[in-house]
Amino acid sequence: MIHVVSVRVGTKYGPEYVERLHDGIARHLDEEQRHWCLTDDPDSLPEGIAAIPHNPDLPGWWQKVFLFSPDMPWRGGDKILYMDLDVCVTGRLEELPLGIIKDWHWPTYNSSVMHWMHGQHAAIWDRFGPEIIDRPTDILHGLLPAGQVNGGDQEWISHVSAWEPFPAEWFVSYRSAVAWPPDTSKAVVFHGEPKPHDVTEGWVPGVWRVGGFTAMPELKGMNVSHEFAYNNVRANVLRDVPWFSGFGEQDKPCVIVGGGPSLSDSVRAIRDWKRKGAKIITVNNALRFLMAKGIRPDAHVMLDAREENLSMVEDAPKDVRYFIASQVHPCVFDALSGHDVVLWHNGMGSGDELREIIDPWFDEGPNQRPCVFVPGGGTVGLRAINLAWLSGYRKIHLYGFDSSYSEGQHHAYPQGLNDGEATMLVTIAGKTYTCARWMIRQAMEFQQQFLYLRDHGVKVVAHGKGLIPDMGRLLR
């Protein structure tokens, strides 16, 4: 739990500043949160933000010093994240260390963003008194050169407490982010003029609003541990099935079918490709979807290591070739016993442990197998593209590779594994998409894969609607 707090006393900032700041923090922080505002106008607070009564004896910015009082509603050891109302959040805030901004111009801290544990820095309040407000130059003598003492909370905080400053590139001045926030920034501080509401063009209106654009989270590469996947590999390499060798030449195109929402509108096009002789390759539950539409694919690809994927091959037809990654759960291989199965190796992690597992098959002899590590992104669709490329296809058409939601749907069919997943907004070329994290990662990796394959003479066309089809059109 982290307590998110702001201060609004007086009328310099309207209530919308409170709402937009707290919404921006919530969009960029997955940790459990409780939101507070220290204020003299509790009735103006939006729903979900609790009021902390202000201290009527403290003017202006000195209210921030009151946050270090033992009278606050949080308990000792609770984490507190404070931001000024004129801060615009632009980056992820997970795992933010305790700290404060080092001021850009003065040899002091800048209290626009502070993160601490309640009970730390208690001297900020314990040693504070009215005389600090009345005689800042005397109290802070020696901290700043003569004539440069502003008499504010930042100088007092710098004088009585020691903090670990945040990296300078995390919290930046708007003056250095007018065109666009630096990629490394977590927030932009609007100290001085202009304020966020004054900026009507550029990036600010899209970010500084409720439900505005959201920075991408850290993207994880697998939904199971590497050790779990490696244990599956250890079991599956002992099976009596052929291994993928690749490196063929194909004179016809192939069509790879994912499960994105636009697949529902693509059935006729896929059927036409089938009639023209193109090879149809499905991934995951797209197999069952096409079979229900009367289209039997030529091949099917699976990558996910979880046991729950067994349902994807229930009643699987025997006249389809199944390309199953060695990391797939053994129960899937068991269910496909008697089917035409080809095992392929997903290049994951550093690759060293995977090589160690399959090392016995490198040696010459009766057990020697082709050991091709299939590269690519973190989803089965991206790996299927590379399987097709390594199999000799030079024209690859994609359907159902939306990588975004449509009308609240993540797939063209029910897929419980994705129900309830966290989503966020992504904007490219002025168009906004709703995406789960894995979709964002897939789109980023698709861009790299598209350019690489194009440079190697492979044409990839993503049909339909969604983030990846639109990205493909921009890349072309």
Side-chain angles (χ1 to χ4, degrees), residues 236 239 310 313 328-339 341:
N236 293 328
R239 297 178 181 273
L310 174 62
V313 293
V328 169
H329 198 279
C331 69
V332 173
F333 282 89
D334 292 341
L336 292 174
S337 177
H339 291 61
V341 175

Side-chain angles (χ1 to χ4, degrees), residues 253-257 273 395-399 401 459-463:
C254 76
V255 173
I256 303 178
V257 182
W273 280 113
K395 294 181 180 179
I396 302 172
H397 294 267
L398 310 177
Y399 289 89
F401 275 65
K459 182 179 180 180
V460 178
V461 180
H463 301 269

Side-chain angles (χ1 to χ4, degrees), residues 463-475:
H463 301 269
K465 303 175 183 177
L467 178 55
I468 280 183
D470 289 348
M471 180 181 288
R473 284 185 276 271
L474 289 171
L475 291 170

Side-chain angles (χ1 to χ4, degrees), residues 208-220:
W208 190 72
R209 61 181 172 87
V210 173
F213 302 155
T214 306
M216 290 182 293
E218 180 183 357
L219 302 173
K220 305 297 183 182

Side-chain angles (χ1 to χ4, degrees), residues 269-282:
I270 297 170
R271 184 175 285 114
D272 287 344
W273 280 113
K274 178 78 171 178
R275 188 163 45 245
K276 294 174 185 176
K279 295 296 184 180
I280 309 298
I281 303 169
T282 54

Side-chain angles (χ1 to χ4, degrees), residues 290-423:
L290 283 194
M291 291 291 295
K293 301 295 183 181
I295 303 173
R296 188 176 299 272
D298 299 282
H300 181 68
V301 180
M302 293 183 68
L303 169 68
D304 196 310
R306 293 173 292 181
E307 185 175 4
E308 293 88 338
N309 292 282
L310 174 62
S311 63
M312 296 180 181
V313 293
E314 291 177 346
D315 304 321
K318 288 198 172 183
D319 53 351
V320 173
R321 170 165 281 195
Y322 295 88
F323 291 82
I324 310 298
S326 57
Q327 69 182 42
V328 169
H329 198 279
C331 69
V332 173
F333 282 89
D334 292 341
L336 292 174
S337 177
H339 291 61
D340 183 4
V341 175
V342 176
L343 179 147
W344 61 277
H345 293 296
N346 165 39
M348 56 180 166
S350 65
D352 293 340
E353 187 163 356
L354 181 59
R355 289 185 176 88
E356 183 178 335
I357 294 171
I358 66 175
D359 184 64
W361 283 269
F362 276 111
D363 297 331
E364 293 185 5
N367 294 323
Q368 185 184 27
R369 301 286 185 92
C371 295
V372 178
F373 292 93
V374 178
T379 64
V380 62
L382 298 181
R383 298 286 170 149
I385 294 172
N386 279 347
L387 278 166
W389 164 50
L390 293 174
S391 297
Y393 290 98
R394 293 298 177 264
K395 294 181 180 179
I396 302 172
H397 294 267
L398 310 177
Y399 289 89
F401 275 65
D402 303 16
S403 215
S404 57
Y405 275 62
S406 177
E407 298 180 355
Q409 300 300 310
H410 47 67
H411 284 80
Y413 41 74
Q415 185 156 299
L417 289 173
N418 297 97
D419 291 345
E421 61 190 359
T423 62

Side-chain angles (χ1 to χ4, degrees), residues 202-246:
W203 65 268
V204 177
V207 177
W208 190 72
R209 61 181 172 87
V210 173
F213 302 155
T214 306
M216 290 182 293
E218 180 183 357
L219 302 173
K220 305 297 183 182
M222 293 184 67
N223 52 26
V224 299
S225 69
H226 279 88
E227 188 56 34
F228 184 94
Y230 289 138
N231 284 336
N232 288 351
V233 175
R234 292 185 181 97
N236 293 328
V237 294
L238 301 176
R239 297 178 181 273
D240 185 20
V241 296
W243 289 14
F244 175 75
S245 57

